[in-house]
Amino acid sequence: MVLSHAASAGSSDDSVHSTFASRYVRASLPRFRMPENSIPKEAAYQIINDELMLDGNPRLNLASFVTTWMEPECNKLMMDSINKNYVDMDEYPVTTELQNRCVNMIAHLFNAPLGETETAVGVGTVGSSEAIMLAGLAFKRRWQNKMKAAGKPCDKPNIVTGANVQVCWEKFARYFEVELKEVKLSEGYYVMDPEKAVEMVDENTICVAAILGSTLNGEFEDVKMLNDLLVKKNEETGWDTPIHVDAASGGFIAPFLYPELEWDFRLPLVKSINVSGHKYGLVYAGIGWCIWRSKEDLPDELIFHINYLGADQPTFTLNFSKGSSQVIAQYYQLIRLVTTSVF
């Protein structure tokens, strides 16, 4: 026997309307203006969900090497923390601790020369693009300070890269007024030639950027050869031109598949490394990392100290507010998948 209850004459019947049959989807919503009237949550969801069906399937997207699947347990952790603003460190001290653990784990993975009780220097970012901006700013400021101390002009910095670099390097050069000196590629050799790169280095070069995992073909550049050639040139000239390694794609691959390959902080001129957590760090898009060799490689004047919530909070990022989910997801992957034998 089926029992039914009739609604009273004065009650709203919105709840029993089929979304597709409701009056809220009979007329098109304005594309570039907010609608004059509100609509029920069910209708808003259905309209947006149906339009998003025209997007591609993320699981089939190989275009940008970005992670598109994570385990359900990690998805739950991300949803549980989606409303946490990462920058509120006093409010979310455990989230801050998890980021610090990630920084130290990655620094050890990259063979940073840390003492037993020494903590690593690094920061979580929105992606490798922000990480590269921060690393570039550190190189530029250190070069400026050095030139000023020597009484030399510091208005024409340059950076040497291969022509195969990702567009974020061009953005850095244009946004922060640094000349980009690109080593041209040649037939059959589609990464930066270390010898040609070192030839382009001059006193105004803030760093040479090497790519560990070219966007074009995934190939690793020879960071070891670049380091050796640059050491020799520095000795001959008295300069101290450093190296940054853009390991956005290869940073979470080389330590496991090619542990004997010297590309990281084992090389003395490598002062900073960026890596994308949302590529082979196996986290959804929105997380990158920048790690510095030592505190001396990150000028203090670039670090801001805020006390909006009471305690002193050092910060070195281009943005301010951001979600905590990706940081937590990165920590999940590092303790879930990475074996301690690597460290």
Side-chain angles (χ1 to χ4, degrees), residues 3 24 144 147 161 185 201 208 246 268 297 305 315 324 333:
L3 298 178
Y24 301 104
Q144 287 175 326
M147 297 296 279
T161 73
L185 308 183
V201 169
V208 180
D246 179 357
D297 297 307
H305 293 266
T315 176
S324 298
Q333 296 291 40

Side-chain angles (χ1 to χ4, degrees), residues 241-302:
T241 307
I243 296 172
H244 175 85
V245 179
D246 179 357
S249 297
F252 282 126
I253 292 180
F256 304 101
L257 296 185
Y258 313 104
E260 303 304 318
L261 181 67
E262 295 184 43
W263 63 273
D264 52 20
F265 293 121
R266 286 170 288 184
L267 303 175
L269 291 184
V270 174
K271 303 299 183 180
S272 55
I273 301 172
N274 69 274
V275 64
S276 290
H278 57 220
K279 288 187 172 66
Y280 300 104
L282 304 180
V283 177
Y284 295 137
I287 185 69
W289 302 93
C290 190
I291 311 294
W292 282 269
R293 184 184 194 87
S294 67
K295 293 180 180 179
E296 290 71 27
D297 297 307
L298 177 56
D300 286 338
E301 61 263 38
L302 294 180

